[in-house]
Amino acid sequence: MRKTFKKVYIEITSVCNLACSFCPQTERQAKFIGTEQFASILDQIRPHTSHIYLHVKGEPLLHPRLHELLDLAHAKGFKVNITTNGTLIVKNADKLLGKPALRQMNFSLHSFDGHAGSENREGYLRTVIDFAKTAADQGVLISFRLWNLTPDNLTNRQRQRNRATLEVLEQAFGLDYRIEERVAPGSGVRIAERIYLNQDHEFRWPSLTAPEDDGHGFCHALRSQAAILVDGTVVPCCLDGEGVLNLGNVHEQPFSEIVESERANRLVDGFSRREAVEELCRKCGYRQRFGS
């Protein structure tokens, strides 16, 4: 039986215009996916999913042919989610608005405080909000993300930063309540039609240099998702930003064969037993969110 996924991540560039504290810079080669490569990948994954996310590392709005990628996705029957820091939204609005493939835009608002050089919080938020309102009117789902909470609650400084961001949102959408009073970590609240605010704890990208735990736990890697890096490398999930768990390359081997390989099946079978069989997975704190 062919594996199907709720989503497949396709990294269209490994380049980012910010250097956020919560997102380690990739050591991989700077690269942008070509339209022919993108089309080939879509053909390969079409039997496995109808939803793609244009993100692993990198800022997708940097891609000069983003509008063409969206048209290709629509022509081949895919719905597209994009995760962005939002700083380039004004320059790219025309490439996004009116595109029938675009299902959802996720704005990582925590990138403003995560990037040391950020300036003019209100100006940044206003451009993102203006785009969000227009896109939502066209049927696009919008998720504003503040994924910067800490397990021991927020520091006063971070709480003040988030309050400044939330206050702009409250004013822009005419809310008569404080958002943080309505949303719990790991969940969201609807602040307008098709527009949501999600708060969550900051997570650490898994790394082979991180400490290893007992390996117990579950993960949706290769069960509900897979990811393809910009050079064609297939990895089990969207958190393997360095391609450590290299399962194969779609430019050398069909995607269908890669996700059914012995190593891929061993990983899935391991998580069925609540066991992380790969070293990187044993060093991934995100796995612990799904219980032991």
Side-chain angles (χ1 to χ4, degrees), residues 183-196:
V183 59
S187 65
V189 60
R190 188 173 76 105
I191 59 177
E193 186 70 25
R194 289 186 286 274
I195 300 178
Y196 299 82

PDB file of all heavy atoms in Angstrom, residues 183-196:
ATOM      1  N   VAL A 183      -5.669  32.596  24.817  1.00  0.00           N
ATOM      2  CA  VAL A 183      -4.921  31.537  24.134  1.00  0.00           C
ATOM      3  C   VAL A 183      -3.918  30.912  25.090  1.00  0.00           C
ATOM      4  O   VAL A 183      -3.212  31.597  25.818  1.00  0.00           O
ATOM      5  CB  VAL A 183      -4.205  32.095  22.880  1.00  0.00           C
ATOM      6  CG1 VAL A 183      -3.238  33.204  23.239  1.00  0.00           C
ATOM      7  CG2 VAL A 183      -3.485  30.997  22.116  1.00  0.00           C
ATOM      8  N   ALA A 184      -3.878  29.582  25.092  1.00  0.00           N
ATOM      9  CA  ALA A 184      -2.928  28.834  25.908  1.00  0.00           C
ATOM     10  C   ALA A 184      -1.773  28.376  25.030  1.00  0.00           C
ATOM     11  O   ALA A 184      -1.931  28.223  23.809  1.00  0.00           O
ATOM     12  CB  ALA A 184      -3.612  27.620  26.549  1.00  0.00           C
ATOM     13  N   PRO A 185      -0.587  28.170  25.617  1.00  0.00           N
ATOM     14  CA  PRO A 185       0.560  27.691  24.831  1.00  0.00           C
ATOM     15  C   PRO A 185       0.204  26.421  24.056  1.00  0.00           C
ATOM     16  O   PRO A 185      -0.404  25.501  24.587  1.00  0.00           O
ATOM     17  CB  PRO A 185       1.625  27.414  25.897  1.00  0.00           C
ATOM     18  CG  PRO A 185       1.279  28.350  27.007  1.00  0.00           C
ATOM     19  CD  PRO A 185      -0.218  28.404  27.026  1.00  0.00           C
ATOM     20  N   GLY A 186       0.567  26.412  22.788  1.00  0.00           N
ATOM     21  CA  GLY A 186       0.289  25.255  21.953  1.00  0.00           C
ATOM     22  C   GLY A 186      -1.064  25.304  21.277  1.00  0.00           C
ATOM     23  O   GLY A 186      -1.463  24.355  20.598  1.00  0.00           O
ATOM     24  N   SER A 187      -1.777  26.409  21.448  1.00  0.00           N
ATOM     25  CA  SER A 187      -3.095  26.518  20.828  1.00  0.00           C
ATOM     26  C   SER A 187      -3.230  27.885  20.166  1.00  0.00           C
ATOM     27  O   SER A 187      -2.291  28.678  20.143  1.00  0.00           O
ATOM     28  CB  SER A 187      -4.203  26.324  21.876  1.00  0.00           C
ATOM     29  OG  SER A 187      -4.172  27.369  22.838  1.00  0.00           O
ATOM     30  N   GLY A 188      -4.420  28.162  19.647  1.00  0.00           N
ATOM     31  CA  GLY A 188      -4.627  29.412  18.944  1.00  0.00           C
ATOM     32  C   GLY A 188      -5.980  30.016  19.252  1.00  0.00           C
ATOM     33  O   GLY A 188      -6.835  29.390  19.890  1.00  0.00           O
ATOM     34  N   VAL A 189      -6.171  31.232  18.796  1.00  0.00           N
ATOM     35  CA  VAL A 189      -7.451  31.914  18.959  1.00  0.00           C
ATOM     36  C   VAL A 189      -7.772  32.626  17.651  1.00  0.00           C
ATOM     37  O   VAL A 189      -6.890  33.184  16.989  1.00  0.00           O
ATOM     38  CB  VAL A 189      -7.393  32.916  20.138  1.00  0.00           C
ATOM     39  CG1 VAL A 189      -6.325  33.981  19.905  1.00  0.00           C
ATOM     40  CG2 VAL A 189      -8.753  33.567  20.367  1.00  0.00           C
ATOM     41  N   ARG A 190      -9.025  32.598  17.255  1.00  0.00           N
ATOM     42  CA  ARG A 190      -9.441  33.289  16.038  1.00  0.00           C
ATOM     43  C   ARG A 190      -9.641  34.765  16.357  1.00  0.00           C
ATOM     44  O   ARG A 190     -10.411  35.112  17.256  1.00  0.00           O
ATOM     45  CB  ARG A 190     -10.735  32.687  15.490  1.00  0.00           C
ATOM     46  CG  ARG A 190     -11.119  33.219  14.119  1.00  0.00           C
ATOM     47  CD  ARG A 190     -12.315  32.459  13.582  1.00  0.00           C
ATOM     48  NE  ARG A 190     -13.538  32.880  14.241  1.00  0.00           N
ATOM     49  CZ  ARG A 190     -14.468  33.669  13.695  1.00  0.00           C
ATOM     50  NH1 ARG A 190     -14.318  34.109  12.463  1.00  0.00           N
ATOM     51  NH2 ARG A 190     -15.541  33.996  14.355  1.00  0.00           N
ATOM     52  N   ILE A 191      -8.953  35.621  15.633  1.00  0.00           N
ATOM     53  CA  ILE A 191      -9.068  37.056  15.893  1.00  0.00           C
ATOM     54  C   ILE A 191      -9.841  37.767  14.790  1.00  0.00           C
ATOM     55  O   ILE A 191     -10.179  38.942  14.927  1.00  0.00           O
ATOM     56  CB  ILE A 191      -7.689  37.710  16.100  1.00  0.00           C
ATOM     57  CG1 ILE A 191      -6.799  37.528  14.876  1.00  0.00           C
ATOM     58  CG2 ILE A 191      -7.008  37.140  17.337  1.00  0.00           C
ATOM     59  CD1 ILE A 191      -5.441  38.233  15.001  1.00  0.00           C
ATOM     60  N   ALA A 192     -10.120  37.053  13.701  1.00  0.00           N
ATOM     61  CA  ALA A 192     -10.942  37.584  12.613  1.00  0.00           C
ATOM     62  C   ALA A 192     -11.301  36.405  11.715  1.00  0.00           C
ATOM     63  O   ALA A 192     -10.785  35.295  11.890  1.00  0.00           O
ATOM     64  CB  ALA A 192     -10.199  38.657  11.818  1.00  0.00           C
ATOM     65  N   GLU A 193     -12.170  36.628  10.758  1.00  0.00           N
ATOM     66  CA  GLU A 193     -12.548  35.560   9.837  1.00  0.00           C
ATOM     67  C   GLU A 193     -11.318  35.062   9.089  1.00  0.00           C
ATOM     68  O   GLU A 193     -10.629  35.850   8.433  1.00  0.00           O
ATOM     69  CB  GLU A 193     -13.585  36.078   8.840  1.00  0.00           C
ATOM     70  CG  GLU A 193     -14.164  35.004   7.927  1.00  0.00           C
ATOM     71  CD  GLU A 193     -15.058  34.031   8.674  1.00  0.00           C
ATOM     72  OE1 GLU A 193     -15.611  34.407   9.731  1.00  0.00           O
ATOM     73  OE2 GLU A 193     -15.211  32.887   8.188  1.00  0.00           O
ATOM     74  N   ARG A 194     -10.990  33.768   9.258  1.00  0.00           N
ATOM     75  CA  ARG A 194      -9.865  33.078   8.630  1.00  0.00           C
ATOM     76  C   ARG A 194      -8.497  33.569   9.121  1.00  0.00           C
ATOM     77  O   ARG A 194      -7.478  33.268   8.504  1.00  0.00           O
ATOM     78  CB  ARG A 194      -9.938  33.183   7.089  1.00  0.00           C
ATOM     79  CG  ARG A 194     -11.045  32.347   6.476  1.00  0.00           C
ATOM     80  CD  ARG A 194     -10.995  32.375   4.960  1.00  0.00           C
ATOM     81  NE  ARG A 194     -11.453  33.653   4.448  1.00  0.00           N
ATOM     82  CZ  ARG A 194     -12.726  33.950   4.220  1.00  0.00           C
ATOM     83  NH1 ARG A 194     -13.661  33.060   4.436  1.00  0.00           N
ATOM     84  NH2 ARG A 194     -13.059  35.141   3.759  1.00  0.00           N
ATOM     85  N   ILE A 195      -8.460  34.318  10.226  1.00  0.00           N
ATOM     86  CA  ILE A 195      -7.192  34.815  10.766  1.00  0.00           C
ATOM     87  C   ILE A 195      -7.045  34.371  12.226  1.00  0.00           C
ATOM     88  O   ILE A 195      -7.949  34.600  13.034  1.00  0.00           O
ATOM     89  CB  ILE A 195      -7.106  36.357  10.679  1.00  0.00           C
ATOM     90  CG1 ILE A 195      -7.224  36.806   9.222  1.00  0.00           C
ATOM     91  CG2 ILE A 195      -5.790  36.856  11.280  1.00  0.00           C
ATOM     92  CD1 ILE A 195      -7.207  38.318   9.037  1.00  0.00           C
ATOM     93  N   TYR A 196      -5.892  33.754  12.541  1.00  0.00           N
ATOM     94  CA  TYR A 196      -5.666  33.170  13.860  1.00  0.00           C
ATOM     95  C   TYR A 196      -4.334  33.633  14.439  1.00  0.00           C
ATOM     96  O   TYR A 196      -3.396  33.958  13.713  1.00  0.00           O
ATOM     97  CB  TYR A 196      -5.675  31.639  13.775  1.00  0.00           C
ATOM     98  CG  TYR A 196      -6.983  31.073  13.272  1.00  0.00           C
ATOM     99  CD1 TYR A 196      -7.266  31.016  11.910  1.00  0.00           C
ATOM    100  CD2 TYR A 196      -7.945  30.608  14.163  1.00  0.00           C
ATOM    101  CE1 TYR A 196      -8.473  30.528  11.444  1.00  0.00           C
ATOM    102  CE2 TYR A 196      -9.164  30.102  13.709  1.00  0.00           C
ATOM    103  CZ  TYR A 196      -9.417  30.067  12.356  1.00  0.00           C
ATOM    104  OH  TYR A 196     -10.624  29.576  11.899  1.00  0.00           O
TER     105      TYR A 196
END
